[in-house]
Amino acid sequence: VKTKGLIQVYTGDGKGKTTAALGVALRILGHGGRVGVVQFFKSATVNDQRSTKNKSLRVARCALNRHHDAALVAIEKYFGSRLKTWSFGGGFTWSVAREENTKAVQNAWKKCCELLKDPKYNLVILDEIHIALHYKFLKVSDVVKVLKSRRPGQHVILTGRNAPQTIIRLADLVTEMKCVKHPFTCGVLAQPGIEF
Ligand code: ATP
Ligand code: MG
């Protein structure tokens, strides 16, 4: 099948960005394709939701530190090496030194560049890359350059809150998840099967 590779952006403060990306991954896999997933700011440590005075910081914490996603584990089990995941990050984003995050982002970005040059991958998911861009761990111009020079048929999905305007302009599809309600505000913490 001839395809036009799309740049898709899932952003906004509502839930559903990463799960939407995984839904597309399943479709690609269902068609026999290959998917590469790079997770920025993900550590395999236990989710910690100690309260912080600053609510947005609290949200950012739970957004960036989770268990390994059970969906990815299940998909890998079923589809084997047709889906591959690389996770980068080590612990609390806001409590670990900026240099540590910089290093993790650099390694994650290196892997992204490899995947975006590899014709094997029909879909590449850059999960939470907007966070890296928003906090200036990564240069928007570098990302734009690599996205533009990828093979024409390759699909890319970029997720994370606060997608930069330049990325939004470049993308073929942009969906903003808007938070209307979230159980977190009623004190319901992350649950297996729903968040990871
Ligand atoms: P998901 O992985 O469930 O699709 P997401 O990728 O859209 O979520 P992220 O910004 O990556 O969302 O944050 C992930 C975590 O933050 C999830 O556990 C999610 O439930 C939680 N979250 C998302 N939106 C909100 C919100 N408005 N308030 C509090 N927590 C939120
Ligand atoms: Mg996410």
Side-chain angles (χ1 to χ4, degrees):
V1 192
K2 253 201 147 169
T3 57
K4 183 208 180 300
L6 300 177
I7 297 175
Q8 303 191 40
V9 166
Y10 302 144
T11 191
D13 64 355
K15 178 172 160 59
K17 300 174 287 293
T18 300
T19 43
L22 293 179
V24 179
L26 273 175
R27 286 183 173 159
I28 296 277
L29 291 163
H31 282 278
R34 276 177 195 275
V35 180
V37 183
V38 177
Q39 294 186 301
F40 286 76
F41 304 107
K42 279 287 153 50
S43 63
T45 57
V46 172
N47 204 6
D48 188 332
Q49 294 177 324
R50 280 176 293 183
S51 63
T52 312
K53 283 202 189 77
N54 182 330
K55 183 171 161 280
S56 63
L57 199 65
R58 201 164 61 209
V59 170
R61 278 189 169 182
C62 82
L64 301 176
N65 294 279
R66 289 193 299 185
H67 294 92
H68 192 58
D69 198 317
L72 285 168
V73 177
I75 295 170
E76 267 170 21
K77 226 179 224 170
Y78 193 88
F79 291 99
S81 61
R82 285 207 283 123
L83 178 128
K84 281 196 173 160
T85 307
W86 292 268
S87 300
F88 297 87
F92 275 132
T93 302
W94 313 114
S95 61
V96 300
R98 188 170 168 100
E99 303 85 77
E100 201 178 313
N101 279 315
T102 304
K103 192 91 206 120
V105 168
Q106 278 169 356
N107 288 332
W109 177 238
K110 217 173 112 198
K111 182 49 75 178
C112 297
C113 293
E114 272 174 39
L115 297 178
L116 292 168
K117 267 190 221 126
D118 190 336
K120 269 204 312 288
Y121 290 96
N122 306 89
L123 168 67
V124 179
I125 296 174
L126 314 180
D127 191 37
E128 312 294 359
I129 192 173
H130 298 145
I131 309 280
L133 291 166
H134 185 68
Y135 291 101
K136 308 220 177 327
F137 287 108
L138 204 57
K139 270 165 73 181
V140 177
S141 57
D142 288 346
V143 175
V144 167
K145 201 167 81 196
V146 172
L147 286 174
K148 279 185 172 165
S149 62
R150 78 192 196 287
R151 257 190 331 101
Q154 190 179 54
H155 298 295
V156 190
I157 298 179
L158 299 92
T159 86
R161 294 160 187 223
N162 299 307
Q165 276 309 315
T166 311
I167 298 288
I168 289 176
R169 270 195 301 273
L170 178 70
D172 301 288
L173 180 151
V174 180
T175 297
E176 185 174 356
M177 277 67 179
K178 179 179 179 291
C179 184
V180 177
K181 247 187 185 186
H182 195 286
F184 191 77
T185 52
C186 301
V188 182
L189 300 183
Q191 326 183 41
I194 305 296
E195 326 278 355
F196 56 88

